[in-house]
Amino acid sequence: MEVDAFRRLFPLRFHERHLLESIRPDGRPLGRARDTTIALGAVASANGSALAKIGCTTMLAAVKLEVMTPKAESPDEGCIVIDFHMPPICSPLVRPGRPAEAAPVITKQLTDIILSSGMIDLKELSLVSGKAAWMAYLDIYCLDADGALFDAALLSAVAAFSHLQIPVVSLNDNGRIVLLSEENSGAMWEKEPVNKEKRKLKLDTLPFSLTCVLHKNYILADPSAEEESIMETYLTVVLDSSMQLVSLNKPGGPGLAQTSAIQDCVALTIQRVKELQKILNEAISDMEVD
Amino acid sequence: MEAKREDGRSATQMRPLSCTRSILNRAHGSASFSQGETKILAAVYGPKAGTKKNENPEKACIEVIWKPKSGQIGKVEKEYEMILKRTLQNICILNVHPNTTTSIIIQVVNDDGSLLPCAINAACSALVDAGIPLKYLAVAISCCLSEDEYCVLDPNKLEERNMKALVYLVFRNSILSVLDEESVEVGESIENGIITSVTHGVMSVNNYFQCLEQGRAAIKPLSDFLRKKLRSKVQNDVSVAG
């Protein structure tokens, strides 16, 4: 039988035959993630943006800042609103007009992780205590969904926040916040900007994640969409740069995860975190050279 | 060192459990499950003919509908639905009724912490009540990690809010062995793997495994409780028939 026909008719046997040889259909060894690239500043109109690619999975993330009045219970804190979109362009499974089931779940998980990891100190987003603070809208668009969506979304989110440039603002005579545009800044300087020092968001420990598919005794790092649909048990580990566990998410699925498998996944994630950190640092330093 | 808890429980003590089967008349299977003040009502309808779009028609399809206590369904509920669906896919034998859909409706009656584990326990009891073929029971438990890295089981809402990290774990039920205690120890290599794990908050990897062990130790009393509650009806039926 032709290989392509075999792949379509008996997908599980096709993959298991590969696994026996410790290789995957795309030529990767089991524990290796796909090639990952980050391009910072992909959206010119946003305050911070990034395009992250893991293999074919592509995510575009952009952060926009708006001035808001902080809530009474937290007068010196800003606010972050995260939204993950899966337009019909990303996958044949998403139909126009009907929102993808996965999108709100990933939005919720991203919000949980970005807020609970302590990556961003919300106090950093404060401008005038009790009067004004930044509201950061993070929108992530999935352009191509080829597996490991959460990993790519988190990577693009972290990259967009590290690219974020906070605009200079000042208080006008009425006590309202106004943007100081770049051109006439010389004339406006006497208004003294509120946040002259705080142009870059201080990021603490960055969270990075790795999704692994568990199938029998095999652990496949960074699955493609095909692998995810055939071997349905997956586990996502999120670690921060100091290797603390931010999240370990295994939402059901046909297989069970033994303790040893979880330990192996954590070990793979530790490697991956170092890799991703290097890729992100390179992207940032490339940006600064330009 | 023993952690002090507001309600006077010990660290590994669960709140009082209760489980009632067949409380809804029209549903094919139903159950209410409560852990302390947290209470969930679950109903099962099906198997109904046909599967939904994008589902494999060679297998039975499971649909979970989460109804919050009040208000609209949001992202949190969507995530719960997804986790519940995938957890139940694990315990159901999906090949018996191919091309059918089984709906599980979860109604939150009261939320006082450990909501998702309670819902999983309720859904599992309702599936048993409906007579849906299962491989084993799912036993769900929640574990909290306090600031001084002490592990606490089955937290209530106040404890959940004040804790450093939170872990929801789902295991399959412990095996009831006819062998005596000593021979069970030999067979302990059959380790109980996790079906579902959800965590909130930052902790060290070792703390996670500590929670895992704590949770694993708690599944035996919980699965004994479920087994007792779910078996009683069958016996009653037999006595009526006899």
Side-chain angles (χ1 to χ4, degrees), chain A residues 90-136:
Chain A
C90 74
S91 153
L93 297 176
V94 185
R95 309 280 305 156
R98 209 180 285 177
E101 273 178 27
V105 178
I106 294 182
T107 305
K108 162 79 182 15
Q109 289 170 343
L110 279 173
T111 312
D112 261 6
I113 281 164
I114 289 176
L115 294 181
S116 76
S117 68
M119 170 173 100
I120 297 165
D121 186 3
L122 291 177
K123 292 199 167 72
E124 288 270 307
L125 292 171
S126 173
L127 287 168
V128 184
S129 180
K131 290 265 175 54
W134 289 116
M135 171 105 124

Side-chain angles (χ1 to χ4, degrees), chain A residues 64-200:
Chain A
K64 276 214 154 195
L65 292 176
E66 264 177 31
V67 178
M68 59 145 193
T69 318
K71 290 188 197 115
E73 59 260 35
S74 51
D76 46 7
E77 283 186 5
C79 176
I80 300 172
V81 180
I82 298 166
D83 217 346
F84 176 75
H85 307 267
M86 281 180 81
I89 194 176
C90 74
S91 153
L93 297 176
V94 185
R95 309 280 305 156
R98 209 180 285 177
E101 273 178 27
V105 178
I106 294 182
T107 305
K108 162 79 182 15
Q109 289 170 343
L110 279 173
T111 312
D112 261 6
I113 281 164
I114 289 176
L115 294 181
S116 76
S117 68
M119 170 173 100
I120 297 165
D121 186 3
L122 291 177
K123 292 199 167 72
E124 288 270 307
L125 292 171
S126 173
L127 287 168
V128 184
S129 180
K131 290 265 175 54
W134 289 116
M135 171 105 124
Y137 290 98
L138 169 65
D139 284 280
I140 303 167
Y141 285 89
C142 178
L143 303 180
D144 194 353
D146 189 24
L149 295 186
F150 178 78
D151 296 357
L154 182 64
L155 182 64
S156 68
V158 169
F161 273 119
S162 32
H163 174 249
L164 183 65
Q165 289 277 342
I166 300 178
V168 187
V169 291
S170 70
L171 277 174
N172 70 5
D173 302 334
N174 306 330
R176 295 191 55 171
I177 294 281
V178 284
L179 281 183
L180 289 183
S181 56
E182 298 288 331
E183 303 95 66
N184 58 359
S185 55
M188 299 278 279
W189 267 157
E190 59 264 29
K191 274 248 158 71
E192 74 167 301
V194 185
N195 58 344
K196 206 170 171 184
E197 307 298 316
K198 290 192 205 166
R199 294 298 310 279
K200 209 80 174 125

Side-chain angles (χ1 to χ4, degrees), chain B residues 73-109:
Chain B
I73 175 163
K75 288 181 182 117
V76 184
E77 285 79 17
K78 285 269 183 214
E79 191 195 13
Y80 285 164
E81 280 185 355
M82 190 274 287
I83 294 169
L84 247 169
K85 179 183 163 185
R86 291 184 51 92
T87 304
L88 298 177
Q89 272 173 342
N90 182 293
I91 64 166
C92 291
I93 305 173
L94 300 170
N95 305 333
V96 181
H97 306 297
N99 200 18
T100 59
T101 301
T102 305
S103 310
I104 295 115
I105 294 111
I106 302 288
Q107 173 68 56
V108 180
V109 180

Side-chain angles (χ1 to χ4, degrees), chain A residues 93 105 108-109 112 116 232 234 244-259 262-263, chain B residues 53-54 75-76 78-79 82 86-87 90 172 191 193-197 199-204 208-209 216:
Chain A
L93 297 176
V105 178
K108 162 79 182 15
Q109 289 170 343
D112 261 6
S116 76
E232 294 166 88
Y234 45 82
Q244 293 274 309
L245 187 74
V246 182
S247 158
L248 196 145
N249 192 9
K250 178 186 182 288
L256 300 172
Q258 308 296 347
T259 310
I262 300 174
Q263 273 160 344
Chain B
K53 212 168 183 181
N54 294 339
K75 288 181 182 117
V76 184
K78 285 269 183 214
E79 191 195 13
M82 190 274 287
R86 291 184 51 92
T87 304
N90 182 293
R172 50 183 194 179
E191 197 202 54
I194 54 169
I195 301 174
T196 298
S197 154
T199 72
H200 295 275
V202 182
M203 64 188 128
S204 74
Y208 177 78
F209 286 108
R216 195 170 275 152

Side-chain angles (χ1 to χ4, degrees), chain B residues 153-165:
Chain B
L153 277 188
D154 191 23
N156 60 26
K157 197 153 200 172
L158 191 73
E159 285 174 313
E160 275 187 357
R161 207 171 293 152
N162 297 333
M163 286 290 171
K164 185 178 151 198

Side-chain angles (χ1 to χ4, degrees), chain A residues 206-263:
Chain A
L206 301 178
F208 293 103
S209 73
L210 179 68
T211 300
C212 296
V213 158
L214 306 178
H215 183 70
K216 294 185 178 159
N217 287 324
Y218 303 109
I219 298 175
L220 285 75
D222 185 28
S224 66
E226 191 188 6
E227 287 166 334
E228 266 181 4
S229 68
I230 293 162
M231 298 168 276
E232 294 166 88
T233 315
Y234 45 82
L235 191 150
T236 304
V237 184
V238 186
L239 294 174
D240 66 16
S241 8
S242 53
M243 300 305 163
Q244 293 274 309
L245 187 74
V246 182
S247 158
L248 196 145
N249 192 9
K250 178 186 182 288
L256 300 172
Q258 308 296 347
T259 310
S260 59
I262 300 174
Q263 273 160 344

